[in-house]
Amino acid sequence: MNQDSSIASRLALVHDRIRGAALKAGRAPDAVTLLPVSKTFGEDAIREAVKAGVRRFGENKAQEIRSKYDPLADCGIDWVMIGHLQTNKAKDVARMASEIQSLDRLELAIALDRRLQQEGRAIDALVQIKTSSEPSKYGLPPEELPGFLRQVARDIPTLKIRGLMTLAINAPDQAAVRACFRKLRELRDQMRQEAIDGIDMDRLSMGMSGDFEIAIEEGSTEVRIGTAIFGGRIYGDDYYWPEQASATRR
Ligand SMILES: *Cc1c(COP(=O)(O)O)cnc(C)c1O
């Protein structure tokens, strides 16, 4: 990481790498969108990214969206929730987020729906799928997806399902990482065949700073990138995935 470079130049570099990976995979250069992940970074860094053209930011914690929402209200940001969400924080997401990519259980869908009804809003949602056997990784088990989608389509009018999201296994073994992404794409293809009314399967959010080029080869339509744009984070990743404090994440 070049620490002297600005957020704008790192953003440009990441866009170049995304386009390059798409072309290399035989896909259109604009087939993959970028979701910059601003977790732990403050107002100044986010304003710099806004100045460089970013309007959508991913955050891993509801309380962080809440603390950034008012100070940055003038920027017209769409906040995207990408981290594990406790039901008692559903209210913040219902009020402030434009989208959730970490929808991983019915209990959460119901809690969000109740709050969204109160706010008079509907938001886009991606279902987070557990694609690796790492014991503590969040996500809906793939075999539960068809039933889950039918239930959301039938009972949860405020969540518009647009696709799937996953975090790949955190391992140096690239084949294992690729297998996670491939599993998500295959699951998306299966769900498309089921053609559940009211459910879109257009989006696949997969790939982070360390693995996004593999994700793009496997069909990602959206990569979530923090470190390669904003730099390293002060907190260890166990702060974001407290349940796996002993594991080292990328
Ligand atoms: C932090 C985070 C990212 C981005 O991770 P980097 O390795 O910094 O690019 C992507 N997805 C989720 C869910 C995250 O919490």
Side-chain angles (χ1 to χ4, degrees):
M1 169 85 43
N2 181 355
Q3 292 296 347
D4 314 323
S5 61
S6 66
I7 286 173
S9 65
R10 278 181 256 159
L11 259 169
L13 199 70
V14 167
H15 276 299
D16 281 349
R17 284 175 62 192
I18 291 171
R19 275 192 292 270
L23 287 170
K24 185 167 162 252
R27 304 177 60 196
D30 60 355
V32 184
T33 59
L34 169 63
L35 177 65
V37 176
S38 48
K39 68 189 186 196
T40 77
F41 289 92
E43 234 187 278
D44 291 351
I46 293 172
R47 285 186 185 278
E48 213 180 314
V50 167
K51 224 174 260 168
V54 180
R55 282 293 177 282
R56 232 170 125 245
F57 291 86
E59 287 284 345
N60 181 294
K61 286 176 174 285
Q63 52 275 44
E64 219 172 312
I65 295 180
R66 195 175 55 203
S67 70
K68 292 173 181 176
Y69 189 80
D70 281 337
L72 291 164
D74 57 300
C75 295
I77 290 170
D78 284 341
W79 296 105
V80 179
M81 179 61 184
I82 60 173
H84 182 68
L85 181 59
Q86 293 168 294
T87 50
N88 63 5
K89 307 252 168 60
K91 183 179 176 182
D92 291 332
V93 168
R95 181 172 293 168
M96 298 171 199
S98 67
E99 173 182 329
I100 178 168
Q101 299 197 349
S102 45
L103 183 66
D104 60 357
R105 61 202 192 282
L106 196 64
E107 180 201 21
L108 176 60
I110 292 167
L112 282 167
D113 184 56
R114 190 164 72 86
R115 295 299 188 171
L116 284 162
Q117 301 265 9
Q118 288 168 2
E119 299 287 331
R121 307 178 62 209
I123 61 173
D124 287 347
L126 304 184
V127 183
Q128 182 174 356
I129 301 291
K130 183 175 158 81
T131 51
S132 80
S133 52
E134 278 180 289
S136 55
K137 192 145 288 175
Y138 294 116
L140 190 75
E143 62 276 14
E144 294 178 20
L145 181 61
F148 179 81
L149 291 178
R150 286 203 180 81
Q151 231 161 342
V152 171
R154 195 186 59 211
D155 300 333
I156 314 280
T158 57
L159 292 174
K160 304 294 174 201
I161 306 285
R162 303 294 185 205
L164 306 176
M165 180 270 236
T166 202
L167 278 97
I169 190 171
N170 178 33
D173 176 5
Q174 297 221 331
V177 170
R178 183 181 297 278
C180 293
F181 296 143
R182 187 166 294 173
K183 187 183 267 183
L184 197 73
R185 170 173 37 94
E186 289 171 354
L187 194 60
R188 189 270 318 266
D189 293 345
Q190 286 166 24
M191 291 307 106
R192 273 186 171 161
Q193 296 206 324
E194 302 226 355
I196 301 167
D197 240 12
I199 300 285
D200 277 1
M201 278 287 133
D202 294 337
R203 293 172 51 192
L204 280 184
S205 172
M206 54 188 200
M208 302 166 48
S209 292
D211 57 20
F212 72 87
E213 276 136 334
I214 301 174
I216 290 171
E217 283 179 47
E218 293 300 330
S220 172
T221 67
E222 177 165 344
V223 293
R224 309 177 307 271
I225 297 190
T227 311
I229 295 168
F230 293 102
R233 289 181 289 270
I234 303 164
Y235 297 104
D237 275 340
D238 55 353
Y239 176 72
Y240 295 95
W241 287 278
E243 85 290 3
Q244 40 187 37
S246 58
T248 46
R249 285 204 54 88
R250 63 179 77 80

